[in-house]
Amino acid sequence: MSSDSSRLLAIVCAAAVQACVAAATVGAGAAPLRVCSDPNNMPFSNAKRQGFENKIAELVAQDLGRPLAYFWSPQRRGFVRNTLAAERCDVMMGVAAGYQGLQATRPYYRSSYAFVSRRDRHLRVRSFDDERLQRLTIGIQITGDDYNNPPAAQALAARHLGANVRGYTVYGDYSKPDPQRDIVHAVADGRIDLAVVWGPLAGYYARREAPPIDVVPVADEARPGMAFAFDIAMGVRREDRMLREALDAIIVRRHAEIRRILTSYGVPLL
Amino acid sequence: MPVYSLGLALIVYAAGVARVWRSAGYGRGVRPWEAVAFACGWIAILIALSPRMDELSDTWLAAHMIQHELLMVIAAPLIALSAPLIALLWAAPAGVRRRSLEVVRQPPMTRAWARLTAPASVFLLHAIALWIWHLPSLYDAALEHEALHVAQHLCFFGTALLFWWGIAHGRHGRRGYGAAVVYVFATAVHGGLLGALLTLSPRVWYAPYLTTRASGLTPLEDQQLAGLLMWIPASLIFAGGGLVLFAAWLRESDRRSRYQPALPLLAVAALATLVSPACDRGQSPAGGGASAPHGSVPGAPRSMHLVADVSHGEWRMPAGDYGNLRYSTLNTITTTNVMNLHVVTTFSTGIPHGHEGQPLVFGNTMYVVTPFPNNLVAVDLTKPGGAVKWIYEPHPDQRAVGIACCDLVNRGASYADGKIIYSLLDATVVAVDSESGKEVWRTRVGDINRGETFTGAPIVVKNHVLVGNSGGELGVRGYVAALDVATGKEAWRAFNTGPDSDVKIGPGFHAFYAKDQGKDLGVTSWPAEQWKLGGSTVWGWISYDPETNLFFYGTGNPGVWNADLRPGDNKWSSSIIARDADTGDAKWAYQATAHDSWDYDEIMENILIDMDYGGRPRKLLVHPGRTGFVYVLDRETGEVLSAETFQPVNWASGYDLKTGKPNEDPARRTHFGTVTQGICPSSTGAKDVIPSAFSPRTGLLYIPAHNTCMDYEGIEANYIAGTPYLGADVKMYRGPGGYQGELVAWDVAHNRKVWGVKDEKFPIYSGVLATGGDVVFYGTMDGWFKAVDARTGTELWKFHVASGIVANPVTYLGPDGKQYVVVYSGIGGWMGAVAFPDVSADDPYAALGVVGAMKDIKKYTAAGDVVYVFGL
C-alpha cells in the first residue's frame, strides 16, 4: 500500500472511531431524565407541566442535555417505594431534606409554614402563643399519615386548641385541579379566620384570591418536633451518586435562575 | 311397557277378587284389607315407575333409591300380603282354576314351592339380588342399558315379593317363626349395612351420577342421601316386620306369659341399635356433603350451636360462614393422614403483590380475586390441574395505587344470586355473573379523590351487599353501605361518626355501658367538627346472625389527628357495632378503646357462636382485638363478659367489666414530641385484620398473633403531596419472650390460652382454617404452610411455598369428591411489604417503624403470586 493510501486509511479509521465515541456519548446523554411527579398538585407540579417543580425540572434537564420525561403518581405514603425505588423514574424534584429512603441533594430552597389571613381582618398573628387564637377557627393541612401531621397540629394540640382546628387534606378533591387550594380559599371567603399553610402553597394561592391575603412565616418553636421551616432538596435513589452529584452542581451553578422561578410562584424564601 | 303390565295386573286382581266375592261372599277368600293392601302396593309401583320418577332418577341417585324402595319395601310386602295367588286363581275361568290347582298341589311342586319360599331361601335370594345389583359395574350397566335396568327392577321386585311372601306365608312351625324373625332382622342389618356404606363412602360409587348439576346437592351429597334413604327407612321397615313376627311368635307359644313384658323393651332395643348409627350420621355425614342442619356440628358438645351453616364442601363467602368461624366439617384429611398432603396443582395470578383474602369454591369452580388490578379469575376444577374458564378484568382507576396506604391487597369476594361480588381498590363494588364472567353491575361507592379505597370483602345478607370503606388515616369518614344485590344501587349508608341520624342510632339502639350511652355521641365526643374527618373505617370482616337479623363489625382508629388534638372519646372509633341487616339501624355499640393514641383499629373478625359460658348457654360474640385482648361479648346486648390478654400487653392492665373501660397505663399513652418506650402491643397490634378460626369440636379459637412492641419518639422528616412535616418516629421490635409470632389456641369457655405455637422469626400474618378432621391450617410470613393438631398444637405437616403467606386457607370438596386445601402465597400487606425489593430494610423507622420488626424478611422471602392446592 502506498503511504498516501495508508494515511488516508488512518484518517478514515480515526474519524470512524471519533464518530463512534461521539455517538456513544450523545446516545448516553440522550437518555431521558425521568421525573417522579404528582400529576395534580399545584403549585408544585401537574400533568400540564405548569408547576414550579416542572419548570425547575426543565431547567435541570436542559442543563444535563437530556430530554425530560415524567412518571406520574399521586404523592402519598409509599410514593418513593412505588416510583423512585421501583426505578420507574430517577429524580423527585422536591423532598424535605432529611427524608429517609432516598438520597437527597443539597437543598435548593428553604421555606416555612406561614400564618395566612385576610389583610382586612388585621390579625397579624405571628406566634401560636397569641391569645387571640383561642377565639379563631384555624385551618391546618392534613397529610394522612397515621396521626402524623404538619407541625401546626402539634402546636395547637399543645395549647389545647383542638376545638378550633379545621382540617384540609393535602390532596383535597383530587378530581379537580388545584386540590390544595381550599385551605387558602377558606380564609379568603371567611369560612375560617386563619390557616397555617406550607409556604409555597400559601404564597401561590394567596396571590390568586381576590381579597388581599397576608402570608407571615411561622417561627420554629423550642419544643422537639416543632420545626416549621424546612429545607427542600431533590431526591434520587440511594445508589445513584452520579446523578446526585450532577444535580448538586446544577443547584449551585443555576442558583439564581432557580430562585427566580420560585419567587415568580410566590414561594416565601428564607 | 310397565303401563300395560300394571294395567293388566290390576285388571286380573280385580277380576279375581270380584269373582271370589261373588261366589263365596264379600270378604271371603280375599279379605277386604288384603284388597286394600293390593291397591296401595299397586299405587306404590305406579309412582315408582312413573315417568317423572324415571326422569329424576336419571340425575339423582336418591330418586333412584326411592324407586327401589317403593318397589321393595312398600309395594312388595303389600302385594305379598294381598293374597295375590288367590286373586290370580279366581281371575281365571273355573276350568283353568281347577286344573291349575291340581298341578300346583302335586308333591314335587309343593315341595319346590316350600323350599323356594322357606325363610332361608327367600332371605338368600333377596340378599344376593340386593348386593349384586348394587355393585358399581352392574349398577352402571343397568343405568346405561334399558333392558338391564328393567331386569334390575324386576329382580328387586321379584325377590322382595318372594321374601315377604316367604316370611308372611311360609310354613311355620315354632322353629319356622324363630327362623323368620332371625332372617328379617338379618335383612334389616345387611340392608342397613349397604345403606351405611353408601352414606359413609367418600367416593361416588356410580359414575353416571358424577355429572355436575346446575344447583342443589353434589354427587357425593346425593349418594349420601340415597344411602340414608336405604339405611333408615329400610331398617325400620324390616325391623318392624321382624317385631311383628316376634310378637306373633310369642303369642303362639306358652312362653308368652313370661316373655311378653320383654317385647316392648326388645322392640326399642332393636330399633335403637339399627337406626341410631344412621341418626348420628344423618346429622352430618362424614366426608361432608349433605347439608348439616345449621345448629350443630358432629363431634361438638351438644351445648354448642352455630348461628348459621358452616362450610361443608364449598366456600361461598369470605369467612366461609356468616358466623365467621372459618370452620369446615370436612374430615377426610385427619391428624393421621395429613402428613401425606401434597401439592395437587398450582397457578400464578401474575401480580406479585400482597395476596390477602381467600378464593371462593363452589360448583366445581374456584374464583380468585387478585391484588390490584383486582381481576377475577374463574378456574374449572374438573379439568386436570384446573383450567382458567375466564378472567374478568375490571380496570380500576390506576390512581388508587398511589392513594392506598398499605400495599394493594384485596380480602375476597362473596357469592350470591348467581353473582360473584367484590370490591375494587378504587372504592367501586362489582358484581360478575358466576357462569359467564360478564359484569352485571358496577357501583362507585367511595371516592378515591377524597382518599377512599376499598380493600375489605363484602358479604351478602338477603338482598343487600354490605361493604365498608378504608382510608381512615386520610380523613375519610367510615361507613358501611348496603347495595341492592340485583342492581348494585345503594340502599343506605350507616356512618360510624357524626350525629345519631348519620350513625343510624335511633329508638331501637341500646348501648350496654353508660360510657356508650347518650345523644349524638358521634359528634359530642369530638371537638368542634372533627368527626367529619373521624376515620372509624370498616376494612375488616363483617359477620351476621340470621336469627336476630343483625350484622356485626368493628371500626378503625379515629382517623387523622394525633390524640392530643382531639380530646374526647372519639366515638365511634375502635368500636364493635351491631346493626339491623335490612335497615342498618344500630342495635348496640361498644367502644373498646376510647380516645385512641396507638392506632388500635378494631376491625378484626367478630365470631358468633352459642355455647355454655359462665355456667349457662349464652349467645356470644368473640373478638380477638388489636389491643391484645380477647373480647367475649353477649351479642344480644353488647355486654363484655370477659376481656383477657392473649399476648404481652401493657397499654392497659385489664378491663373493668362493670364500666366496660380499660384500665389504662397513662405512661404508655403516646404524645407527639414525647418519647414513650416499650408500648405493647405496637400499632400493628397483637393481631391485625388477618382472621382467626374457631372449631366447635374443640371449643378453641385459633388466633394468628403478633408479639411486637414499639418505641414512640416523634421526630422524623416526612413529605406528602409537597408538604413537609415531622412525623412520629416509631420503631417496632419483638416483645417480651423474644418471639415475633404465635398461633394461640384460646379456650373460649374458660378465657385462657391452652397452647401456642411460637414463631421465632415473624408475626403470624396469615388467616387460620379449622376443620372437622381436627386439623388446623395456617401459614407463616417466611413461606411455610402448616397443619397442626387442633387439640394439641402439634405440628403434623408443613410445606414451603414460593412466597410468604398473608392469606387465609380454605378447604373444599373437589369434583371427585375428595377434600382439598387451597391457599395463596404472595407476601405483602402492611408488615409484609418490607419484603419488596423497593422497600429498604436499612431504616428501622421506615414504613411507620415496621421495618424494625421485619428487617430479616428479605432473607426469607420475596414477592410472589402463586395459588397452591393441596390434597391427599
Side-chain angles (χ1 to χ4, degrees):
Chain A
M1 205 184 331
S2 69
S3 59
D4 284 328
S5 1
S6 50
R7 215 181 310 145
L8 186 58
L9 187 60
I11 291 170
V12 168
C13 284
V17 168
Q18 295 264 46
C20 286
V21 170
T25 320
V26 168
L33 177 70
R34 300 175 305 167
V35 175
C36 323
S37 199
D38 190 322
N40 183 16
N41 196 19
M42 289 299 285
F44 304 96
S45 62
N46 68 10
K48 296 203 188 109
R49 288 115 157 108
Q50 293 167 324
F52 67 79
E53 285 186 357
N54 299 122
K55 303 287 181 252
I56 295 172
E58 279 158 23
L59 181 154
V60 166
Q62 181 254 334
D63 195 286
L64 288 173
R66 292 166 70 170
L68 188 58
Y70 282 92
F71 180 80
W72 302 107
S73 184
Q75 210 234 316
R76 311 262 184 282
R77 232 159 95 172
F79 180 77
V80 172
R81 168 163 49 86
N82 289 327
T83 62
L84 190 68
E87 298 197 19
R88 293 189 165 101
C89 46
D90 308 308
V91 60
M92 223 172 121
M93 293 312 295
V95 65
Y99 185 71
Q100 306 279 353
L102 45 66
Q103 189 189 178
T105 64
R106 58 191 300 139
Y108 63 95
Y109 76 94
R110 182 176 172 82
S111 187
S112 79
Y113 281 81
F115 288 112
V116 174
S117 62
R118 281 175 65 133
R119 188 162 301 160
D120 56 15
R121 292 285 307 274
H122 304 295
L123 285 175
R124 306 218 149 260
V125 171
R126 285 198 154 58
S127 127
F128 286 97
D129 290 323
D130 193 320
E131 61 94 34
R132 283 174 298 167
L133 289 181
Q134 311 269 350
R135 293 180 297 280
L136 301 174
T137 52
I138 307 159
I140 298 187
Q141 291 171 282
I142 296 170
T143 47
D145 185 14
D146 271 337
Y147 301 166
N148 290 318
N149 284 294
Q154 275 62 253
L156 291 170
R159 291 163 177 86
H160 308 292
L161 291 172
N164 301 34
V165 166
R166 303 286 179 270
Y168 293 83
T169 57
V170 294
Y171 46 86
D173 181 349
Y174 204 65
S175 66
K176 301 193 171 50
D178 300 337
Q180 299 218 45
R181 181 178 172 227
D182 201 31
I183 188 172
V184 175
H185 191 55
V187 169
D189 66 19
R191 273 178 284 149
I192 52 177
D193 303 311
L194 184 73
V196 182
V197 184
W198 172 236
L201 288 156
Y204 178 78
Y205 285 115
R207 286 182 177 188
R208 278 157 178 75
E209 294 295 336
I213 306 281
D214 280 336
V215 176
V216 177
V218 181
D220 281 357
E221 298 215 340
R223 280 176 240 256
M226 291 294 191
F228 289 88
F230 291 84
D231 288 318
I232 305 298
M234 300 176 202
V236 298
R237 277 183 293 280
R238 286 222 168 104
E239 62 276 13
D240 206 347
R241 252 194 40 203
M242 258 181 58
L243 183 56
R244 196 214 80 219
E245 286 170 359
L247 293 172
D248 278 343
I250 294 172
I251 287 169
V252 171
R253 206 170 356 99
R254 310 288 292 267
H255 168 79
E257 280 163 85
I258 292 175
R259 201 175 174 86
R260 246 198 317 275
I261 293 172
L262 292 167
T263 47
S264 74
Y265 276 77
V267 175
L269 296 171
L270 297 179
Chain B
M1 257 311 272
V3 180
Y4 297 116
S5 9
L6 268 180
L8 187 66
L10 184 62
I11 289 170
V12 166
Y13 186 90
V17 168
R19 197 170 280 163
V20 71
W21 281 355
R22 226 180 309 130
S23 134
Y26 175 77
R28 302 299 188 85
V30 177
R31 278 167 277 201
W33 70 262
E34 286 170 334
V36 172
F38 182 88
C40 293
W42 186 85
I43 290 172
I45 300 179
L46 195 67
I47 296 174
L49 301 179
S50 66
R52 179 71 184 133
M53 213 53 206
D54 269 344
E55 196 187 300
L56 284 173
S57 72
D58 276 339
T59 324
W60 308 101
L61 181 64
H64 202 171
M65 187 63 71
I66 291 176
Q67 275 185 318
H68 293 167
E69 300 226 344
L70 279 169
L71 289 176
M72 295 178 79
V73 295
I74 310 263
L78 283 170
I79 294 195
L81 290 172
S82 68
L85 292 181
I86 297 178
L88 181 64
L89 270 175
W90 279 85
V96 176
R97 203 182 317 138
R98 248 179 279 119
R99 251 172 282 132
S100 317
L101 273 172
E102 277 165 19
V103 169
V104 157
R105 280 180 183 142
Q106 298 298 315
M109 292 293 287
T110 53
R111 250 176 296 157
W113 182 244
R115 249 181 249 128
L116 183 64
T117 58
S121 326
V122 297
F123 166 77
L124 261 172
L125 279 171
H126 178 263
I128 290 169
L130 186 68
W131 282 84
I132 291 214
W133 278 108
H134 275 94
L135 286 173
S137 36
L138 263 181
Y139 205 104
D140 287 354
L143 285 169
E144 251 130 77
H145 307 286
E146 193 51 32
L148 266 180
H149 201 173
V150 170
Q152 184 193 42
H153 284 178
L154 275 175
C155 220
F156 280 152
F157 183 68
T159 53
L161 197 57
L162 261 179
F163 177 86
W164 290 106
W165 173 275
I167 295 300
H169 295 291
R171 275 295 163 84
H172 298 301
R174 268 173 66 285
R175 202 187 58 186
Y177 254 130
V181 167
V182 166
Y183 288 123
V184 169
F185 274 116
T187 307
V189 168
H190 83 70
L193 177 65
L194 181 59
L197 284 175
L198 270 171
T199 311
L200 302 174
S201 174
R203 274 180 37 252
V204 171
W205 284 15
Y206 307 122
Y209 285 109
L210 261 179
T211 54
T212 43
R213 294 80 189 270
S215 63
L217 306 172
T218 65
L220 199 69
E221 289 174 344
D222 177 35
Q223 179 171 287
Q224 284 155 357
L225 181 59
L228 278 177
L229 283 170
M230 180 185 273
W231 194 353
I232 301 179
S235 303
L236 284 174
I237 289 176
F238 283 107
L243 285 172
V244 165
L245 280 173
F246 192 62
W249 185 24
L250 284 180
R251 228 180 300 122
E252 248 202 12
S253 76
D254 60 3
R255 286 184 249 175
R256 134 174 68 134
S257 51
R258 260 183 281 156
Y259 287 96
Q260 210 155 23
L263 185 63
L265 290 171
L266 271 170
V268 171
L271 274 172
T273 27
L274 282 172
V275 177
S276 60
C279 284
D280 211 39
R281 286 299 171 199
Q283 255 194 353
S284 175
S291 293
H294 81 67
S296 54
V297 150
R302 296 232 173 271
S303 52
M304 184 127 3
H305 291 289
L306 312 175
V307 306
D309 233 347
V310 287
S311 164
H312 34 74
E314 297 186 327
W315 204 271
R316 295 179 175 220
M317 60 180 88
D321 61 281
Y322 278 134
N324 281 17
L325 271 63
R326 293 188 179 262
Y327 173 82
S328 165
T329 55
L330 295 185
N331 62 4
T332 41
I333 296 177
T334 67
T335 53
T336 49
N337 65 19
V338 68
M339 58 279 292
N340 300 321
L341 213 57
H342 60 270
V343 178
V344 166
T345 190
T346 61
F347 53 91
S348 299
T349 63
I351 295 154
H353 273 276
H355 282 64
E356 293 189 12
Q358 62 289 304
L360 295 183
V361 184
F362 61 90
N364 293 320
T365 311
M366 182 181 298
Y367 297 90
V368 173
V369 176
T370 70
F372 187 93
N374 303 134
N375 297 334
L376 177 64
V377 182
V379 177
D380 185 344
L381 297 174
T382 62
K383 302 279 190 307
V388 173
K389 262 197 207 174
W390 46 256
I391 303 181
Y392 162 72
E393 296 182 12
H395 302 295
D397 193 325
Q398 180 69 30
R399 290 175 302 157
V401 172
I403 287 167
C405 83
C406 314
D407 203 5
L408 312 174
V409 300
N410 184 290
R411 300 191 178 96
S414 279
Y415 170 69
D417 200 33
K419 301 183 267 285
I420 308 282
I421 300 171
Y422 67 100
S423 312
L424 308 180
L425 193 62
D426 66 359
T428 304
V429 179
V430 294
V432 179
D433 183 281
S434 64
E435 296 283 324
S436 64
K438 298 267 177 297
E439 180 179 295
V440 178
W441 51 256
R442 180 177 190 138
T443 304
R444 206 183 85 142
V445 183
D447 187 359
I448 54 163
N449 291 309
R450 300 212 174 272
E452 260 183 293
T453 50
F454 278 20
T455 51
I459 68 163
V460 181
V461 171
K462 296 187 276 180
N463 64 325
H464 280 155
V465 175
L466 300 174
V467 64
N469 61 345
S470 311
E473 69 281 359
L474 294 169
V476 165
R477 199 170 148 216
Y479 57 77
V480 171
L483 312 178
D484 180 82
V485 70
T487 62
K489 232 167 78 78
E490 187 170 318
W492 46 256
R493 187 176 290 212
F495 288 92
N496 298 319
T497 65
D500 285 349
S501 51
D502 284 358
V503 184
K504 289 185 170 291
I505 287 178
F509 176 84
H510 185 73
F512 189 85
Y513 293 103
K515 70 179 181 72
D516 297 326
Q517 292 164 6
K519 195 162 150 26
D520 289 334
L521 290 178
V523 170
T524 60
S525 64
W526 302 80
E529 297 183 1
Q530 285 184 27
W531 57 267
K532 293 183 184 169
L533 299 166
S536 312
T537 47
V538 186
W539 49 279
W541 310 100
I542 304 176
S543 45
Y544 171 66
D545 179 0
E547 193 187 14
T548 53
N549 200 35
L550 295 178
F551 70 92
F552 305 88
Y553 65 95
T555 63
N557 67 31
V560 182
W561 303 116
N562 177 268
D564 294 330
L565 209 61
R566 45 170 168 84
D569 277 356
N570 311 139
K571 284 175 159 57
W572 292 86
S573 62
S574 303
S575 304
I576 299 171
I577 303 183
R579 293 187 180 281
D580 180 275
D582 295 324
T583 61
D585 290 337
K587 282 291 185 272
W588 58 257
Y590 169 68
Q591 188 179 38
T593 315
H595 191 59
D596 172 60
S597 73
W598 305 274
D599 199 9
Y600 288 160
D601 291 45
E602 281 307 335
I603 43 72
M604 289 74 211
E605 61 280 14
N606 296 292
I607 292 168
L608 310 178
I609 187 80
D610 295 347
M611 56 190 280
D612 279 350
Y613 188 87
R616 62 184 175 93
R618 296 301 292 257
K619 294 184 178 300
L620 301 181
L621 178 153
V622 185
H623 175 97
R626 181 93 85 120
T627 54
F629 286 87
V630 177
Y631 300 89
V632 180
L633 275 66
D634 179 323
R635 69 172 185 273
E636 297 186 299
T637 62
E639 177 189 357
V640 178
L641 304 174
S642 149
E644 300 294 330
T645 58
F646 64 95
Q647 283 297 302
V649 157
N650 62 20
W651 69 276
S653 58
Y655 274 76
D656 179 345
L657 297 181
K658 279 198 281 308
T659 60
K661 292 186 190 176
N663 300 320
E664 289 178 24
D665 179 356
R668 304 287 178 189
R669 269 213 170 255
T670 65
H671 302 277
F672 189 82
T674 311
V675 174
T676 314
Q677 282 174 331
I679 304 169
C680 305
S682 64
S683 301
T684 50
K687 180 186 177 300
D688 202 346
V689 66
I690 306 299
S692 44
F694 177 79
S695 167
R697 287 168 60 92
T698 62
L700 299 178
L701 178 67
Y702 303 95
I703 308 174
H706 311 166
N707 177 29
T708 321
C709 300
M710 70 177 173
D711 293 342
Y712 185 94
E713 282 160 335
I715 17 150
E716 182 198 41
N718 277 346
Y719 194 76
I720 280 189
T723 312
Y725 58 98
L726 291 173
D729 226 356
V730 176
K731 190 173 66 171
M732 299 186 191
Y733 45 86
R734 49 191 74 201
Y739 61 95
Q740 281 255 57
E742 187 178 14
L743 180 72
V744 172
W746 183 268
D747 181 341
V748 175
H750 300 104
N751 304 315
R752 57 158 195 250
K753 168 173 140 183
V754 291
W755 51 257
V757 178
K758 290 188 165 55
D759 185 333
E760 298 301 318
K761 295 195 288 296
F762 299 113
I764 308 293
Y765 212 81
S766 91
V768 186
L769 170 71
T771 69
D774 288 339
V775 182
V776 166
F777 291 93
Y778 72 102
T780 68
M781 291 182 95
D782 57 332
W784 285 102
F785 188 48
K786 297 192 180 190
V788 300
D789 184 308
R791 295 181 193 278
T792 64
T794 312
E795 186 181 289
L796 300 171
W797 167 90
K798 65 181 181 189
F799 182 85
H800 196 264
V801 298
S803 174
I805 301 174
V806 295
N808 315 322
V810 151
T811 187
Y812 63 94
L813 280 181
D816 57 358
K818 292 193 194 166
Q819 183 182 0
Y820 294 97
V821 180
V822 57
V823 71
Y824 301 152
S825 72
I827 189 78
W830 184 4
M831 295 191 94
V834 182
F836 297 160
D838 35 6
V839 176
S840 167
D842 292 338
D843 173 18
Y845 297 101
L848 203 68
V850 168
V851 172
M854 299 296 298
K855 59 180 167 9
D856 289 336
I857 195 155
K858 284 183 201 282
K859 286 190 228 153
Y860 292 94
T861 185
D865 66 348
V866 179
V867 181
Y868 284 81
V869 178
F870 298 90
L872 285 174

